[in-house]
Amino acid sequence: MTRIITSLTLLLVFTMGSAQQQSELQLVARPTPTTIKLRWAISDPLGWKLANQYGYMIERYTVVEGKKVLDQRIKKVLTSRPVMPAVLPDWEPYIDDDFVAIAAQALYGEDFELDAGGNSGMAQLMNQAEELENRFSFLMYAADQSVKAAELSGLYWEDQEISYDKKYLYKVYTLVPPHLHQLDTASVFVGLQDYYELPAPKDVKVVFGDQVSVISWNKGIYQREYNAFWVERSDDNGNTFQRITEAPFVPVQKKEKMGLNDLAYKTDSLPENNKNYQYRVIGVNAFGELSTPSDTVVGKGIPVFTAAPIITRHELLENGEVQLYWSFPERGKQLLKNYDLYRQNVESRQEELVAMDIGGVHDTSYVDHSPRASNYYLLRANDLHGRYTTSFPYFVQLDDSIPPLAPVGLTGTVDTLGVVRLSWEPNTETDLHGYRLFKANYAENEFVQVDGPVITTNTFTDTLDLKNLHEKVFYKVLAMDHRFNPSELSETLLLKKPDVLPPVSPVFTKVANESAGIVLSWEFSSSEDVVEHLLYRQSERETDWTLVRIMGAGSVNLFYLDTAVIHNTQYAYTMIAVDDDGLESAPAVPVVATRMKPDAYPMVENFHYLVNKEDREVKISWDYATEATEKFLVYKTSGEAPFQLYKSLEAANREFTEKITPGTGTLKYKVMAVMANGHYSQMSDELRIELD
């Protein structure tokens, strides 16, 4: 019995830890083809001790007969006197049953201390437990493993006076007075037709090691069926099986609720390796019944494989290849199958397979035909049973002065917040380290590297200040390898910034009333992206501005004669610049002039010309007799363009000579006299000259 007690030490720890303050009576039933077996148990030591003194009563109620539920249940008390533990002499014929012996010792032994066969820490722990808890725990375990132990302990009853066509409600309760201890009544509803064969344990597996095996099976689906298991082994191809333990194996129950897929594990020591062993599992229920054996699993023990290769040296071959050399311990060669060579990726820290299933027991070298610039080699030795060991990393670095190719396909976008998103096609070099980005505000300027760590992807996000005067930005990118050899710069990428700054306003330089109208001159906007200028006019009698002229990006006219004005009326002028994004400048500071017509002075008369084809000249002359004349203003145009001031001549001059340019076509002239008092004469009639 000592041997059995020792094997139950671990069970006791869990049992005592789960003791409850209130007693609970639990009842289970197991129908056979002819009888119904009942087993019950109490949840705590105190309730168990009192129940042993006062006994249990069993009542049976016939509930169903045939297929009919009876209106009046037929009650029968199955016990003429309380069921109590048998007296000690009744135990003696069965004392050879270890579990009967354990139960008898728990009930009647004068001293009940755990004996673990020495001074182990677990034995000391058990000896410190209270005696009642020890007795209760071991008796409950013994009753679970032996029907005879349960019967003698007053925890079992078998009903034989029953009919197949009836179903019964069984009740078990104690006669413990309620004022001493509260114990409930347990019940179960069952009939002979509920009989079923015990299922075979499932999902049995076995894992073999060096003269050891670990058998596992699904205990979760049998948590209400079996409280223990027999594990059996065969070494003669299943002809005979032997139990590997002297007592049924009780899986340790977790404190939390068991799941349906929880596994039980049992370890077995093997007499030798390399021999087939078969295992099967048999369930044991609370009534001592055995299930059908499970399917068998088979395998053999294999020696431990711990020998590892060592990469000892390398050679750099002329064609850029690397030849590795290694050694392998003699003690592991009888299990060695072949090798796999790996290389650790410096960037990702992941192992990359270089070659697999290389060499054999007597091979000690291999040539890597495609090494990287830097290599951390790992050699994995595979044994005949699918296991492996791995060498320590071995570093090999190649001489590398060849840079990567320049990146291609550089593209990008700029959004309205100034965020630049760049991308390019990734380089394919195996020793690529990353990229560097360069940018400039002008294509002809030196490109400056963008600060930050090495770019490790083929994308980059930059930010720009949109409120400066640089309308464009230029980017280039280069690649570098792990030796920091740089590639050539990529092709330049031009990106136009979203325009958020309006153009600079134009500036008027002059406004004056002249005989033909009001003359304006100005300086265009200095912004480079201006595509047109808009000239506006507003009279003193108007509330809105009127667009009077549009000048495109190529316009060079810096003055304008406004003839569509009314005498003795004041006019204001302003101008707006528009850029290529449609942004408008602030209006130019307005200028003001009053239109006064020179009606008091006659116009120039006898206005004519003379063409000298030989000298390719044209002579223009006129007559004017007014003595107060100070100067003459000559206006000129060609084609359909408006007249513009061409010459200003002293009053003594009544003519001028014009060189003829081939292909000039039609020339038009007008002349106006300016008086000493600042007034103007009327504008002359148009002088029209048709040239070949």
Side-chain angles (χ1 to χ4, degrees):
M1 189 177 76
T2 301
R3 182 173 59 253
I4 300 298
I5 292 178
T6 302
S7 67
L8 301 180
T9 302
L10 185 61
L11 173 69
L12 180 59
V13 176
F14 288 97
T15 306
M16 292 188 299
S18 61
Q20 303 177 15
Q21 294 180 351
Q22 295 183 353
S23 297
E24 180 183 359
L25 185 61
Q26 296 179 344
L27 173 64
V28 293
R30 168 65 179 166
T32 72
T34 58
T35 64
I36 293 178
K37 301 176 181 180
L38 302 177
R39 269 277 286 117
W40 59 89
I42 294 181
S43 62
D44 71 291
L46 178 59
W48 168 71
K49 181 177 181 180
L50 292 172
N52 289 340
Q53 297 174 6
Y54 290 92
Y56 303 89
M57 296 298 293
I58 307 172
E59 296 176 356
R60 185 187 73 197
Y61 296 83
T62 304
V63 178
V64 177
E65 185 171 357
K67 296 183 179 180
K68 180 182 177 181
V69 178
L70 301 179
D71 295 333
Q72 294 290 332
R73 299 179 179 179
I74 302 173
K75 175 181 177 182
K76 182 177 181 179
V77 178
L78 300 182
T79 51
S80 58
R81 56 186 179 82
V83 178
M84 303 176 68
V87 295
L88 189 58
D90 293 341
W91 293 71
E92 293 179 358
Y94 310 101
I95 208 68
D96 289 339
D97 183 334
D98 285 341
F99 296 108
V100 171
I102 293 172
Q105 179 71 15
L107 278 169
Y108 299 110
E110 294 183 4
D111 187 16
F112 197 82
E113 292 185 358
L114 297 179
D115 180 6
N119 296 320
S120 67
M122 183 63 71
Q124 293 176 7
L125 175 64
M126 295 300 99
N127 286 328
Q128 294 172 5
E130 295 184 5
E131 182 177 350
L132 177 61
E133 291 179 341
N134 292 346
R135 292 177 182 270
F136 167 74
S137 300
F138 279 98
L139 185 135
M140 289 300 170
Y141 171 77
D144 279 346
Q145 309 309 315
S146 169
V147 173
K148 181 55 69 173
E151 181 182 3
L152 293 171
S153 300
L155 301 174
Y156 174 86
W157 185 269
E158 186 171 349
D159 188 7
Q160 299 178 352
E161 299 178 358
I162 51 180
S163 299
Y164 185 82
D165 62 341
K166 297 179 181 180
K167 295 197 73 171
Y168 307 95
L169 177 69
Y170 291 93
K171 290 185 178 180
V172 175
Y173 57 91
T174 71
L175 297 177
V176 176
H179 69 276
L180 291 181
H181 197 69
Q182 293 289 332
L183 279 164
D184 57 4
T185 298
S187 61
V188 64
F189 181 62
V190 68
L192 290 178
Q193 57 266 46
D194 295 323
Y195 169 75
Y196 60 93
E197 292 187 1
L198 295 178
K202 296 186 180 301
D203 301 329
V204 179
K205 297 183 174 99
V206 61
V207 176
F208 288 89
D210 189 3
Q211 288 191 265
V212 69
S213 64
V214 178
I215 306 94
S216 65
W217 63 94
N218 190 328
K219 69 176 180 179
I221 59 176
Y222 305 116
Q223 55 187 300
R224 295 188 177 182
E225 195 69 61
Y226 302 127
N227 51 34
F229 298 88
W230 288 108
V231 180
E232 297 182 340
R233 182 184 72 200
S234 171
D235 59 4
D236 58 1
N237 296 320
N239 293 323
T240 59
F241 280 89
Q242 301 294 328
R243 294 172 177 175
I244 67 173
T245 57
E246 296 186 9
F249 172 68
V250 180
V252 175
Q253 174 67 47
K254 298 179 180 178
K255 290 184 179 181
E256 64 271 15
K257 185 176 181 180
M258 186 187 302
L260 293 180
N261 294 317
D262 283 354
L263 299 180
Y265 296 91
K266 184 67 180 80
T267 302
D268 185 27
S269 297
L270 302 178
E272 57 184 293
N273 288 324
N274 298 314
K275 179 179 180 179
N276 280 334
Y277 292 97
Q278 293 185 350
Y279 288 93
R280 67 185 186 186
V281 179
I282 298 173
V284 183
N285 68 7
F287 299 92
E289 296 177 310
L290 303 181
S291 73
T292 302
S294 70
D295 293 337
T296 59
V297 290
V298 64
K300 61 180 65 176
I302 51 178
V304 64
F305 183 65
T306 58
I310 300 174
I311 302 177
T312 56
R313 64 187 182 90
H314 72 278
E315 292 181 6
L316 300 179
L317 306 182
E318 293 182 358
N319 54 4
E321 298 174 334
V322 174
Q323 183 160 11
L324 298 171
Y325 296 88
W326 65 84
S327 63
F328 190 80
E330 286 293 330
R331 59 185 172 83
K333 288 185 177 180
Q334 69 275 13
L335 293 172
L336 179 64
K337 179 182 179 183
N338 54 30
Y339 301 93
D340 297 332
L341 182 63
Y342 288 83
R343 177 172 50 222
Q344 190 176 68
N345 188 303
V346 177
E347 298 297 328
S348 66
R349 301 296 180 185
Q350 300 296 317
E351 293 180 4
E352 301 174 345
L353 180 64
V354 177
M356 66 183 302
D357 299 337
I358 60 176
V361 176
H362 303 292
D363 293 296
T364 58
S365 70
Y366 179 78
V367 175
D368 183 4
H369 302 288
S370 302
R372 296 180 179 274
S374 297
N375 305 270
Y376 286 90
Y377 288 106
L378 296 167
L379 188 63
R380 178 176 294 178
N382 304 306
D383 81 344
L384 298 172
H385 303 285
R387 300 171 297 178
Y388 63 85
T389 58
T390 305
S391 70
F392 287 109
Y394 184 86
F395 181 66
V396 177
Q397 181 166 288
L398 306 184
D399 295 330
D400 183 15
S401 60
I402 301 175
L405 296 176
V408 296
L410 179 59
T411 60
T413 60
V414 186
D415 64 21
T416 55
L417 298 177
V419 177
V420 181
R421 292 178 174 84
L422 302 169
S423 65
W424 55 92
E425 294 181 16
N427 281 50
T428 58
E429 291 84 359
T430 57
D431 61 341
L432 183 71
H433 180 61
Y435 304 90
R436 283 293 188 186
L437 188 69
F438 295 80
K439 78 177 174 180
N441 291 320
Y442 298 97
E444 62 274 9
N445 283 12
E446 181 180 355
F447 280 69
V448 178
Q449 180 177 300
V450 177
D451 291 336
V454 173
I455 304 168
T456 57
T457 66
N458 61 317
T459 61
F460 188 79
T461 300
D462 195 18
T463 55
L464 301 176
D465 181 7
L466 300 181
K467 295 184 179 180
N468 59 30
L469 298 179
H470 301 298
E471 188 180 29
K472 301 174 183 178
V473 63
F474 300 84
Y475 287 99
K476 293 183 179 182
V477 66
L478 66 75
M480 65 176 65
D481 60 21
H482 289 300
R483 302 294 296 276
F484 297 98
N485 294 314
S487 72
E488 296 291 333
L489 288 168
S490 69
E491 295 292 332
T492 302
L493 171 66
L494 164 63
L495 294 178
K496 187 178 182 301
K497 299 180 185 178
D499 202 348
V500 297
L501 294 177
V504 176
S505 300
V507 177
F508 287 105
T509 58
K510 179 182 178 181
V511 61
N513 177 61
E514 297 186 0
S515 60
I518 296 177
V519 176
L520 300 163
S521 61
W522 58 79
E523 292 290 339
F524 283 140
S525 170
S526 60
S527 299
E528 296 179 354
D529 58 347
V530 171
V531 294
E532 60 182 11
H533 288 78
L534 308 178
L535 178 64
Y536 291 88
R537 177 186 66 209
Q538 184 186 50
S539 73
E540 60 185 350
R541 300 183 181 89
E542 296 173 329
T543 58
D544 295 325
W545 291 88
T546 301
L547 178 63
V548 295
R549 191 175 186 187
I550 300 176
M551 292 157 282
S555 177
V556 295
N557 294 327
L558 297 176
F559 59 90
Y560 176 70
L561 173 62
D562 190 3
T563 59
V565 288
I566 301 173
H567 177 66
N568 199 27
T569 301
Q570 180 175 282
Y571 292 90
Y573 295 87
T574 189
M575 185 179 290
I576 292 175
V578 182
D579 67 15
D580 54 6
D581 288 302
L583 298 177
E584 297 181 349
S585 71
V589 177
V591 293
V592 179
T594 301
R595 172 59 177 153
M596 299 297 295
K597 285 188 176 181
D599 297 332
Y601 300 94
M603 69 175 63
V604 172
E605 297 178 344
N606 198 21
F607 193 25
H608 62 277
Y609 68 93
L610 180 63
V611 177
N612 184 345
K613 292 185 177 181
E614 183 178 348
D615 295 334
R616 302 193 64 81
E617 293 179 343
V618 59
K619 183 177 181 180
I620 301 169
S621 62
W622 60 89
D623 293 333
Y624 198 72
T626 303
E627 296 180 356
T629 302
E630 182 179 82
K631 60 182 178 180
F632 294 97
L633 299 178
V634 180
Y635 293 87
K636 175 185 176 182
T637 186
S638 62
E640 299 302 323
F643 280 91
Q644 298 181 5
L645 181 62
Y646 178 56
K647 288 182 180 292
S648 177
L649 303 175
E650 297 296 329
N653 296 325
R654 299 288 196 278
E655 64 181 22
F656 68 91
T657 300
E658 183 89 320
K659 285 287 186 182
I660 299 173
T661 302
T664 300
T666 302
L667 294 177
K668 302 175 186 178
Y669 295 91
K670 289 184 179 183
V671 179
M672 177 186 292
V674 180
M675 306 301 127
N677 60 6
H679 290 178
Y680 300 86
S681 72
Q682 297 182 47
M683 185 69 74
S684 71
D685 293 333
E686 178 181 288
L687 176 65
R688 189 181 186 92
I689 304 174
E690 301 288 345
L691 300 175
D692 294 337

